[in-house]
Amino acid sequence: MRLAAVLAALSGALAVMAGAFGAHGAEGQAAEWLKTGGHYQLIHAVAALLAVRMGARVPAWLFVGGAAVFAGTLYLMALGAPHWLGAVTPVGGAALIAGWLWLAIALARKQG
């Protein structure tokens, strides 16, 4: 779980950098992609750290991996990659949703 926590922390740092670049260094659609990616990535970096703390392995990895795919495709398009990558973005979003659902089920099953 340490690797998931380290990657979540690095993900948070990258999210802040992308959001800052989107707010101050990019224009138009690229700025929007950077801000959106940064927003989702930062939220899910925190969610992953909380999942790690709770011992919820699968949701932690779904948050880290899903955020990497979701935000990563947006960042790449903002930096000039082909727009067909936008078709991959929802795969990351689906992983994020799965992480939340898995976490909800794990919490509902927890006794105490």
Side-chain angles (χ1 to χ4, degrees), residues 30-94:
E32 291 303 314
W33 283 330
L34 289 164
K35 289 183 209 175
T36 299
H39 178 82
Y40 276 79
Q41 188 174 15
L42 186 58
I43 288 169
H44 290 90
V46 173
L49 289 170
L50 290 172
V52 165
R53 178 82 170 121
M54 294 171 52
R57 287 180 187 269
V58 174
W61 283 109
L62 286 168
F63 292 146
V64 169
V69 173
F70 182 88
T73 55
L74 294 176
Y75 299 159
L76 289 170
M77 289 189 306
L79 296 172
H83 289 188
W84 62 259
L85 277 175
V88 179
T89 306
V91 173

